[in-house]
Amino acid sequence: MEMTSRIEMDEDNDNRGSMWDLDQKLDQPMDEEAGRLRNMYKEKKSSALLLLRLAFQSLGVVYGDLGTSPLYVFYNTFPGKIEDPEDVVGALSLIIYSLTLIPLLKYVFVVCKANDNGQGGTFALYSLLCRHAKIKTIPNQHRTDEELTTYSRSTFHEQSFAAKTKRWLERHVSRKNALLILVLVGTCMVIGDGILTPAISVLSAAGGIKVDHPGMSNGVVVVVAVVILVGLFSLQHYGTDKVSWLFAPIVLVWFLVIGGIGIYNIWKYDSSVLKAFSPVYIYRYFRRGGKDGWTSLGGIMLSITGTEALFADLSHFPVAAVQLAFTVVVFPCLLLAYSGQAAYLMSNRDHVVDAFYHSIPESIYWPVFIIATAAAIVASQATITATFSIIKQALALGCFPRVKVVHTSKKFLGQIYVPDINWILMILCIAVTAGFKNQNQIGNAYGTAVVIVMLVTTLLMTLIMILVWRCHWILVLLFTGLSLVVECTYFSAVLFKVDQGGWVPLVIAAAFLLIMYVWHYGTLKRYEFEMHSKVSMAWILGLGPSLGLVRVPGIGLVYTELASGVPHIFSHFITNLPAIHSVVVFVCVKYLPVYTVPEEERFLVKRIGPKNFHMFRCVARYGYKDLHKKDDEFEKKLFDSLFLFVRLESMMEGCSDSDEYSLYGQQTERSREGLLNNNGNGNTITSYADTTISSVDSIVPAKSPMHGSMTVRSSEHVSSQTETDELEFLNSCRDAGVVHILGNTVVRARRESRFYKKIAIDYVYAFLRKICREHSVIFNVPHESLLNVGQVFYV
């Protein structure tokens, strides 16, 4: 029987095979269409699986902070005793609509779309705005920066509302400074979150010990929390690369557990709490509670803490993955968790302190306690990482003193560790935990920090919607108005609790704001001084090829903050020393308001003066997430770009069609013309090659195939010979030795300056420069190749 069946099947297969062959021959186009549809189906299936995987991973990074809020919300809302069970329903109704309006509608579906190539946070929004309007306070922009592939921006009509807003922002320096201060305030509050989140999350989790052992003193809980915090901060230098795979499963299990406990409590205690989905109970709650009901909003607001960290930790997760994780897992589980706690409190009003732990069924108490502690650690880790990230962004945009930044992962660029900031956070976090000793006052402090960050984000989002998205003014008004109504309501409630712990983030933010603004102010004044005191080309040309000095073998890399012109440090150097290197390269390391600069677009090389001067400028451009490689690699790439520039310059001298050229379509004719003739500040710089004017300035890629055809002149052989001679000369100078020349600058306020400027520059800025890292350390310059040039700037 089996053999007969098998034979019949084989015959059927053969028949089907022959029929398939016939179909292939007769209907080849249909087969191709079917194949295309199958491929599309496979791609959609694989992209859907990838989206699910990314949504799962985003739980551990993005939602840890928001997910641990049920540990402490009801206690901070009712720090005393619940007088009326209806108050619990009113509070639950407020929590439900707060979660719906702020995290769900505002952040997940609107603000997250305003990311800068996957990067979130206040500085990412500021970078987006800097690309669409000239609001950057340090004026080191150049038109070639706008031609980077990562420098995406939209254009708008001159008479549009966006164009008018842009001109209004650019018209006065005070408006640019006000916007910068707004961004810095938001940044400082995020740093405050980095201190308060670990404190309240770990202390709340550790409080579970006391619930099971009522006789235990509060001091023991604080000691346990401090030990966990010390361990958490001490392990930061290892990075999260090796353990980050655990974060998503821990947070997923946490959400499922709190959701499951919520369903159990609703079923067991009081299902009538579900009537809180009606907003009528919010009105009744305020009418019944009066001022106390209003001030309790400070506790309700803790249900949406972690929302700003959600945006700051966006990282490289696509917005669709973050939206999927929130709508499918986070939002439903949080609603169930809060509803379950409310149902429990309806029957157990005296258990409002540590309500979460009291509501856990006894049989699963300790497993849930372990999961809660792990989730609190993950939430704290996410906030600490977000703080490191925002410090790195501030550092790149000239708003924070130079600190050591360690990249803890070879795979992921965003995973960094800032040792100085880590220990400052740890000390402040322990001080807050041990100083307050209870969740209520820490909660008040936490609420103040969070609501201010939300207000800053709303104001920045208003500008994003106008300048970047070009939304209709009605949509902008609707978003801004609705957000401000909700957030200002919370802010007014938080103000009542400033004296009950709310002052902590204000003091911390004020200290960091002073440091960041003074550093930025000092950096700006230094840059302005260098711009005004730079050396004219006429003076350089008047010195002759030897620059009036002895040219010794070797290459001198002169580091400067100027992206154009010859810096003052050079004239100061040659005035005081009788010799200079045979080849001089002015190196400017510049950060742009973009996430990253591709390696092939990193360096911008230009010749300064005639060829026999052997002077060049090299601008190394970085985004705020890029990292400096080790010095030898940076130096190697710099010289590779320089040699390639010399070859291209020689080739261009043999072209008959034009002196201008394009690499990878990066530069338009107009921008090249401006780059050849203008130094970015209205001063014309002409570079001479022997007796003919030939200035070439280009983004030098790693590989540079020349596009288009070239008609070679009869001087091709002469150009080739000149190129070979110069390359041999550069190689011999490189072999002779490379010296890094850095300015050791002292900045002083002028004698006629006002007293507050003297305090800011002579004391605060001077102190910050003394304790921050030197440029030579940042650039990894070896001490035996370092030459410091001392100078004093009076600003």
Side-chain angles (χ1 to χ4, degrees):
M1 264 313 267
E2 290 179 5
M3 187 175 290
T4 308
S5 305
R6 206 172 285 123
I7 291 168
E8 286 173 357
M9 285 175 64
D10 289 343
E11 286 175 356
D12 288 343
N13 287 336
D14 289 338
N15 290 334
R16 279 198 295 268
S18 60
M19 289 289 289
W20 178 250
D21 291 340
L22 185 61
D23 286 343
Q24 274 193 315
K25 291 173 183 176
L26 295 177
D27 205 1
Q28 189 70 27
M30 188 177 291
D31 178 57
E32 290 175 359
E33 180 66 20
R36 190 173 66 83
L37 290 172
R38 277 197 302 273
N39 288 335
M40 285 175 62
Y41 173 75
K42 285 178 182 176
E43 286 175 6
K44 284 183 179 178
K45 189 176 179 182
S46 63
S47 63
L49 289 172
L50 178 64
L51 186 65
L52 284 172
R53 186 165 63 86
L54 290 170
F56 168 68
Q57 290 174 351
S58 71
L59 287 171
V61 177
V62 176
Y63 292 113
D65 192 4
L66 190 65
T68 52
S69 297
L71 286 170
Y72 44 78
V73 168
F74 277 108
Y75 172 52
N76 282 274
T77 305
F78 304 107
K81 185 182 176 183
I82 299 172
E83 301 294 338
D84 190 339
E86 286 296 307
D87 288 344
V88 177
V89 179
L92 178 61
S93 187
L94 278 166
I95 290 169
I96 289 168
Y97 284 97
S98 296
L99 283 170
T100 305
L101 289 173
I102 302 297
L104 181 64
L105 296 180
K106 179 186 172 184
Y107 275 85
V108 172
F109 285 102
V110 180
V111 175
C112 282
K113 291 184 179 179
N115 64 84
D116 184 16
N117 289 303
Q119 298 305 306
T122 48
F123 265 109
L125 295 178
Y126 184 63
S127 297
L128 267 176
L129 290 172
C130 285
R131 296 208 296 270
H132 289 79
K134 294 177 181 177
I135 55 174
K136 199 176 175 188
T137 48
I138 298 179
N140 63 349
Q141 301 97 329
H142 199 283
R143 59 171 58 89
T144 51
D145 300 336
E146 299 173 9
E147 292 161 5
L148 291 169
T149 51
T150 52
Y151 201 100
S152 57
R153 63 172 187 164
S154 54
T155 55
F156 28 76
H157 192 269
E158 283 297 315
Q159 298 302 317
S160 64
F161 184 58
K164 291 175 183 176
T165 307
K166 177 177 177 287
R167 287 194 293 271
W168 181 81
L169 275 174
E170 294 173 348
R171 195 171 296 135
H172 295 291
V173 177
S174 58
R175 290 167 190 166
K176 298 178 186 179
N177 283 329
L179 186 61
L180 177 68
I181 290 171
L182 183 70
V183 171
L184 293 182
V185 167
T187 304
C188 293
M189 288 298 172
V190 171
I191 295 170
D193 281 357
I195 296 164
L196 296 167
T197 300
I200 193 168
S201 299
V202 173
L203 187 62
S204 300
I209 303 172
K210 194 177 175 183
V211 173
D212 198 60
H213 298 82
M216 186 181 291
S217 69
N218 194 50
V220 175
V221 176
V222 172
V223 169
V224 171
V226 168
V227 168
I228 294 172
L229 289 170
V230 170
L232 177 65
F233 283 101
S234 299
L235 294 172
Q236 289 300 311
H237 68 280
Y238 291 109
T240 58
D241 196 20
K242 293 179 181 177
V243 293
S244 57
W245 62 273
L246 279 171
F247 289 177
I250 287 170
V251 176
L252 178 62
V253 170
W254 167 250
F255 277 120
L256 294 177
V257 164
I258 63 174
I261 292 171
I263 293 170
Y264 171 79
N265 286 333
I266 293 168
W267 170 76
K268 182 178 179 181
Y269 294 104
D270 194 344
S271 60
S272 67
V273 293
L274 296 178
K275 63 187 178 183
F277 281 88
S278 169
V280 173
Y281 291 92
I282 296 175
Y283 168 73
R284 292 179 182 175
Y285 178 75
F286 285 132
R287 189 182 66 180
R288 190 170 49 252
K291 183 184 174 182
D292 290 338
W294 190 265
T295 55
S296 70
L297 282 173
I300 300 288
M301 218 214 75
L302 295 179
S303 64
I304 55 176
T305 55
T307 307
E308 189 58 39
L310 177 158
F311 181 48
D313 284 331
L314 197 58
S315 189
H316 292 290
F317 294 111
V319 174
V322 173
Q323 291 172 340
L324 182 66
F326 189 84
T327 50
V328 174
V329 178
V330 179
F331 189 61
C333 289
L334 284 176
L335 293 184
L336 288 170
Y338 287 118
S339 299
Q341 281 190 51
Y344 176 81
L345 289 172
M346 292 283 281
S347 305
N348 302 273
R349 283 183 281 166
D350 295 336
H351 289 175
V352 69
V353 179
D354 294 316
F356 173 78
Y357 282 114
H358 283 296
S359 67
I360 299 171
E362 286 186 18
S363 58
I364 59 168
Y365 182 85
W366 285 108
V368 173
F369 171 76
I370 293 167
I371 295 168
T373 306
I377 291 169
V378 171
S380 304
Q381 178 60 55
T383 314
I384 294 165
T385 304
T387 306
F388 291 159
S389 179
I390 208 160
I391 290 291
K392 172 74 165 62
Q393 292 177 22
L395 185 67
L397 295 174
C399 295
F400 204 85
R402 295 184 298 272
V403 290
K404 184 178 182 180
V405 178
V406 179
H407 289 260
T408 57
S409 173
K410 293 180 180 178
K411 296 179 184 176
F412 304 104
L413 188 63
Q415 292 188 7
I416 58 173
Y417 166 63
V418 185
D420 301 331
I421 299 301
N422 182 65
W423 302 124
I424 291 171
L425 290 180
M426 187 187 81
I427 292 166
L428 292 173
C429 190
I430 291 171
V432 167
T433 307
F436 285 143
K437 296 181 182 178
N438 70 72
Q439 302 168 24
N440 190 26
Q441 287 183 313
I442 299 175
N444 294 338
Y446 195 15
T448 306
V450 170
V451 74
I452 292 174
V453 177
M454 288 180 178
L455 285 168
V456 169
T457 301
T458 298
L459 296 174
L460 291 175
M461 276 301 301
T462 304
L463 292 174
I464 292 286
M465 293 178 79
I466 295 170
L467 295 176
V468 182
W469 294 350
R470 290 173 290 168
C471 296
H472 195 277
W473 65 269
I474 294 176
L475 286 175
V476 177
L477 194 63
L478 188 66
F479 172 82
T480 308
L482 190 60
S483 297
L484 288 178
V485 165
V486 175
E487 287 158 13
C488 287
T489 303
Y490 280 125
F491 185 63
S492 65
V494 162
L495 289 176
F496 286 106
K497 298 192 175 184
V498 169
D499 61 334
Q500 300 170 35
W503 56 270
V504 172
L506 299 178
V507 172
I508 292 169
F512 275 98
L513 180 63
L514 177 70
I515 290 168
M516 294 172 80
Y517 190 76
V518 168
W519 181 265
H520 180 79
Y521 179 75
T523 304
L524 175 62
K525 290 301 173 186
R526 265 187 65 195
Y527 184 84
E528 288 176 351
F529 183 89
E530 286 205 62
M531 281 295 298
H532 290 122
S533 61
K534 64 183 181 181
V535 181
S536 68
M537 281 303 299
W539 185 76
I540 294 288
L541 294 171
L543 295 175
S546 67
L547 301 176
L549 305 168
V550 177
R551 301 295 291 265
V552 296
I555 297 180
L557 299 180
V558 182
Y559 288 83
T560 173
E561 293 182 10
L562 295 182
S564 59
V566 178
H568 179 263
I569 183 179
F570 182 71
S571 64
H572 186 69
F573 181 83
I574 63 175
T575 304
N576 290 280
L577 286 173
I580 190 67
H581 298 90
S582 300
V583 176
V584 177
V585 182
F586 297 102
V587 181
C588 171
V589 176
K590 182 169 76 168
Y591 281 94
L592 303 177
V594 294
Y595 165 67
T596 185
V597 176
E599 283 290 337
E600 63 271 14
E601 301 177 61
R602 174 85 67 218
F603 294 98
L604 189 68
V605 180
K606 183 177 181 178
R607 186 185 294 279
I608 298 178
K611 276 192 173 182
N612 55 358
F613 276 47
H614 301 300
M615 293 172 67
F616 302 89
R617 177 185 298 113
C618 180
V619 180
R621 301 175 295 184
Y622 291 86
Y624 56 79
K625 277 288 183 179
D626 287 329
L627 64 150
H628 287 295
K629 301 291 184 182
K630 288 185 179 179
D631 184 63
D632 52 354
E633 191 174 341
F634 174 80
E635 192 178 293
K636 180 182 178 297
K637 289 183 177 180
L638 188 151
F639 286 126
D640 287 346
S641 301
L642 182 62
F643 294 157
L644 182 55
F645 168 80
V646 171
R647 292 192 196 98
L648 292 175
E649 184 185 46
S650 179
M651 290 171 69
M652 291 312 303
E653 287 175 3
C655 296
S656 62
D657 51 352
S658 173
D659 278 344
E660 296 176 89
Y661 62 95
S662 173
L663 295 178
Y664 295 135
Q666 294 290 338
Q667 293 175 294
T668 61
E669 181 176 336
R670 177 182 170 189
S671 67
R672 285 194 303 274
E673 184 178 339
L675 193 58
L676 297 178
N677 298 325
N678 193 289
N679 70 350
N681 298 287
N683 300 323
T684 302
I685 295 180
T686 308
S687 299
Y688 298 91
D690 298 329
T691 56
T692 60
I693 298 175
S694 175
S695 174
V696 182
D697 195 353
S698 168
I699 297 167
V700 180
K703 296 178 181 178
S704 57
M706 297 301 294
H707 296 277
S709 59
M710 293 184 181
T711 306
V712 182
R713 295 178 182 174
S714 59
S715 61
E716 180 183 0
H717 177 70
V718 177
S719 297
S720 178
Q721 185 62 41
T722 306
E723 172 204 334
T724 306
D725 291 344
E726 185 162 20
L727 288 174
E728 286 179 359
F729 178 73
L730 288 173
N731 271 315
S732 65
C733 289
R734 185 182 181 183
D735 293 339
V738 178
V739 174
H740 301 259
I741 303 169
L742 280 81
N744 189 6
T745 310
V746 176
V747 182
R748 290 276 182 268
R750 290 176 183 164
R751 189 170 295 176
E752 65 273 14
S753 300
R754 295 186 178 181
F755 76 95
Y756 57 82
K757 183 178 178 180
K758 288 182 178 179
I759 292 171
I761 296 294
D762 293 347
Y763 296 98
V764 182
Y765 184 66
F767 174 73
L768 292 174
R769 277 177 61 84
K770 191 176 290 185
I771 63 171
C772 77
R773 305 185 90 208
E774 295 290 336
H775 274 299
S776 58
V777 180
I778 297 289
F779 298 134
N780 295 305
V781 176
H783 283 288
E784 61 272 15
S785 303
L786 175 64
L787 182 60
N788 275 317
V789 180
Q791 50 187 346
V792 180
F793 287 175
Y794 287 97
V795 298

